[in-house]
Amino acid sequence: MHVFRTTLVLSLVLTGGVLASSNVERRFVLEETTIGQVHSAFRSGDLTCRQLVESYLARIEKYDQQGPSLNAITSVNPDALSEADHLDLLFAEGGLTGPLHCVPVIVKDNIETKGWETNGGSQSLRGFVPERDATAIARLKAAGAIILAKSNMSELALNALNTVNRVHGRTKNAYDPNRVPAGSSGGTAVALAANFGLVGLGTDTGGSVRGPASHAAIVGFRPTMGLTSRTGTIPVDTQSDVVGPMARTVEDVAAVLNVLIGPDDQDPSTDALEALPEMPQMDAFLDAGLDGVRIGVLRQAWEADPLKMDPQIAKAFDRALADLKSMGATIVSSVPLERVAPAPEAEGCHGLKYDLNKFLEEQGNRVKVHSLTEIVRGARYDPSIEENLREMEAGEQDGPGSKACEANAAYREKVAWSLKAAMARARVDVLIYPTWTQQPQLASNIVLEESGQPARFASAAGLPAITVPMGFSADMLPMGLSLMGGSWSDAKLLGIANAYEQATRHRRPPVLAPRIPREFR
């Protein structure tokens, strides 16, 4: 059994990431630090932006390709240090340049970054260098962030169980290199678990932010559809795709989300924001507590699976419910849903073929392939996605307005209605369930039917959902707790998750990537 570095964790909990005493000079500690702690260290003079970036780069060098060789990072920003120097000059002149001043960000490799190869883990997209930043990237940069590195992912984001592709290989779980980190945003999750950056971006179509976050003992958030822009991301299915923040704390997730949200005339999904009376503030409820909060257990998220929940996860989930109750929440033991069956024609709505073809056609000569058919015929993809690729390629190129996709949209609306109606009947604020019902599988023996991935209610309904650490198994493998809310309840959801996180403090760093002693003064 692994033994965690409890002295490091204790120092961070008691001093907020800074070791202090009357006889010892204050010293910044990089590992497990937060945005707020970094900014405090800047103001006190204990840290510079260059020192912060150098320290993360040192960890990437020591633990990503060497040591445990986690293989979470695909490329590093060659201008990161010069950007850090520039931010240090600006800070000296006028303080923080924005809410994410010198926040090093890990970005999933299907999100476009100007002048930086973005291949989505696909051999077919090698050499694709975008001429623009994705909207999410542009907003991060405008807020003062540094895009530090791109992260590995399952090829074309088509594998929810593992992070592997023919370009960069397999990313290892930071808590056990023999196990999977889930997918498809596994690189970002592992990088944050190992403290390679402060925060990160992933994309979530069916659970691709939340699954890896659960496997990495970090926080992963899927926002309400339309809250964040997808412009500049390689699509899987625009009916479900969202860009979501990932971090080691709920507070940092909220800080990133505050920067990402807003309308984008290039992404019609964000038009829904215009109906809101005001732009939501994601940190509005972080200190609200749980008094009066009603939480409903969504048993249908796992009880339909013939595979029983792992006993250790079941025990941890029961403990989480007891913890929430002790914090003032009311637990409704079961919130039954009205089951919704999709119309047969809805199954023909293959978003990938339409959306990916459209994306590739728009890139012109910046890419070597311009259709899903060319990718399949090239046969240079990882075997783990072959079945998905061929199934999508064999179908019709149905897009918005087609009979199949109209039926699919109607199905999604019914799922959303069923969830909202059930929450209203039970008078609950959020629904709760284990993020993953089985422990991370061995990479050498992946079995879809035994993976334990819960039903994808939030993805189908376009509703917000968050996963936070729920503890560790006897083998020190992470377990995650999921909360799902109604449309535009993102801020309240973050507040409930933050209350649980702060009361339980289950997050622990992996022993595979321990602290690197470093003096910052």
Side-chain angles (χ1 to χ4, degrees):
M1 180 184 298
H2 297 311
V3 178
F4 288 105
R5 297 174 62 88
T6 55
T7 54
L8 170 62
V9 175
L10 182 61
S11 71
L12 288 163
V13 170
L14 295 181
T15 67
V18 177
L19 302 179
S21 84
S22 57
N23 300 318
V24 180
E25 184 179 44
R26 288 186 301 173
R27 183 165 58 86
F28 176 79
V29 177
L30 177 79
E31 289 76 16
E32 299 298 289
T33 194
T34 66
I35 295 172
Q37 291 163 5
V38 164
H39 285 175
S40 293
F42 287 158
R43 294 189 186 98
S44 66
D46 293 331
L47 181 69
T48 66
C49 185
R50 170 174 269 269
Q51 289 173 328
L52 181 68
V53 171
E54 283 179 335
S55 298
Y56 280 128
L57 291 175
R59 289 189 62 81
I60 291 171
E61 180 179 0
K62 186 174 182 66
Y63 298 124
D64 194 58
Q65 299 302 323
Q66 302 177 35
S69 299
L70 296 175
N71 197 34
I73 301 299
T74 60
S75 59
V76 171
N77 181 359
D79 300 320
L81 289 175
S82 61
E83 291 176 17
D85 289 339
H86 180 63
L87 286 170
D88 278 333
L89 288 174
L90 294 177
F91 181 80
E93 294 172 356
L96 300 177
T97 60
L100 299 184
H101 175 87
C102 190
V103 170
V105 184
I106 307 295
V107 175
K108 187 176 180 179
D109 202 18
N110 62 344
I111 302 174
E112 294 183 34
T113 308
K114 184 178 180 180
W116 195 341
E117 181 173 326
T118 302
N119 57 53
S122 173
Q123 288 280 7
S124 298
L125 294 180
R126 288 305 305 267
F128 169 46
V129 179
E131 296 180 351
R132 64 174 180 181
D133 279 328
T135 298
I137 299 297
R139 289 176 177 172
L140 290 174
K141 289 181 177 179
I146 292 177
I147 308 305
L148 182 66
K150 301 297 281 289
S151 58
N152 203 18
M153 56 182 286
S154 63
E155 190 165 338
L156 294 175
L158 291 179
N159 187 343
L161 304 185
N162 199 7
T163 293
V164 63
N165 58 65
R166 288 277 295 274
V167 181
H168 303 290
R170 181 177 76 87
T171 295
K172 300 173 184 176
N173 189 305
Y175 293 87
D176 182 343
N178 295 314
R179 295 183 184 269
V180 298
S184 61
S185 306
T188 300
V190 170
L192 295 178
N195 285 275
F196 294 164
L198 255 181
V199 299
L201 286 188
T203 58
D204 190 307
T205 303
S208 289
V209 160
R210 293 161 288 152
S214 174
H215 280 43
I218 66 167
V219 181
F221 190 77
R222 177 190 170 88
T224 297
M225 174 67 77
L227 190 68
T228 61
S229 170
R230 294 87 52 84
T231 301
T233 62
I234 300 172
V236 177
D237 184 348
T238 55
Q239 298 171 105
S240 296
D241 294 344
V242 297
V243 172
M246 306 167 76
R248 289 179 293 274
T249 67
V250 175
E251 184 177 13
D252 280 359
V253 162
V256 175
L257 200 55
N258 265 335
V259 168
L260 295 180
I261 62 175
D264 177 7
D265 58 11
Q266 298 182 76
D267 184 352
S269 76
T270 64
D271 292 348
L273 286 167
E274 297 178 1
L276 300 182
E278 58 183 1
M279 199 61 62
Q281 292 298 308
M282 294 298 108
D283 55 357
F285 297 94
L286 291 185
D287 298 323
L290 296 185
D291 287 341
V293 171
R294 290 175 59 85
I295 299 174
V297 180
L298 184 59
R299 298 190 178 278
Q300 284 167 266
W302 75 85
E303 285 187 342
D305 189 338
L307 188 67
K308 291 185 178 179
M309 190 188 304
D310 179 272
Q312 294 188 66
I313 294 177
K315 183 177 180 180
F317 183 61
D318 287 341
R319 184 175 66 244
L321 295 178
D323 288 339
L324 289 163
K325 185 176 181 179
S326 71
M327 294 163 60
T330 298
I331 305 298
V332 179
S333 62
S334 181
V335 180
L337 303 180
E338 180 180 326
R339 294 195 177 275
V340 179
E345 59 267 27
E347 299 294 332
C349 182
H350 296 301
L352 177 69
K353 187 169 187 178
Y354 175 86
D355 294 324
L356 186 60
N357 283 357
K358 183 174 182 290
F359 175 85
L360 293 173
E361 290 166 4
E362 290 172 349
Q363 307 314 316
N365 60 11
R366 290 187 293 276
V367 295
K368 299 174 183 177
V369 296
H370 296 90
S371 71
L372 179 60
T373 298
E374 289 182 49
I375 292 176
V376 171
R377 288 177 179 173
R380 296 193 298 165
Y381 44 79
D382 190 82
S384 65
I385 66 166
E386 180 172 6
E387 183 177 349
N388 268 347
L389 276 183
R390 291 193 175 277
E391 179 184 349
M392 297 298 181
E393 197 276 331
E396 297 295 324
Q397 185 174 305
D398 288 317
S402 68
K403 183 177 180 181
C405 288
E406 285 183 349
N408 190 280
Y411 164 71
R412 291 170 184 272
E413 289 178 4
K414 290 179 181 178
V415 172
W417 177 88
S418 175
L419 287 164
K420 293 173 185 177
M423 292 175 69
R425 286 193 301 271
R427 295 183 295 111
V428 298
D429 300 287
V430 298
L431 297 170
I432 192 170
Y433 50 96
T435 308
W436 216 267
T437 60
Q438 302 296 320
Q439 297 187 45
Q441 291 189 327
L442 291 169
S444 60
N445 186 34
I446 299 173
V447 181
L448 174 61
E449 293 76 17
E450 298 177 5
S451 65
Q453 185 182 18
R456 301 172 179 179
F457 289 104
S459 303
L463 299 179
I466 188 171
T467 181
V468 293
M470 188 173 67
F472 291 83
S473 71
D475 292 325
M476 292 304 168
L477 296 174
M479 300 179 287
L481 179 71
S482 276
L483 297 162
M484 177 171 58
S487 297
W488 314 113
S489 66
D490 304 65
K492 290 184 178 180
L493 194 61
L494 287 163
I496 295 169
N498 187 62
Y500 173 77
E501 173 198 79
Q502 292 302 303
T504 58
R505 296 188 181 274
H506 287 304
R507 162 71 196 165
R508 297 290 185 273
V511 295
L512 288 176
R515 177 184 168 193
I516 300 176
R518 179 176 174 82
E519 294 294 335
F520 289 89
R521 296 192 66 182

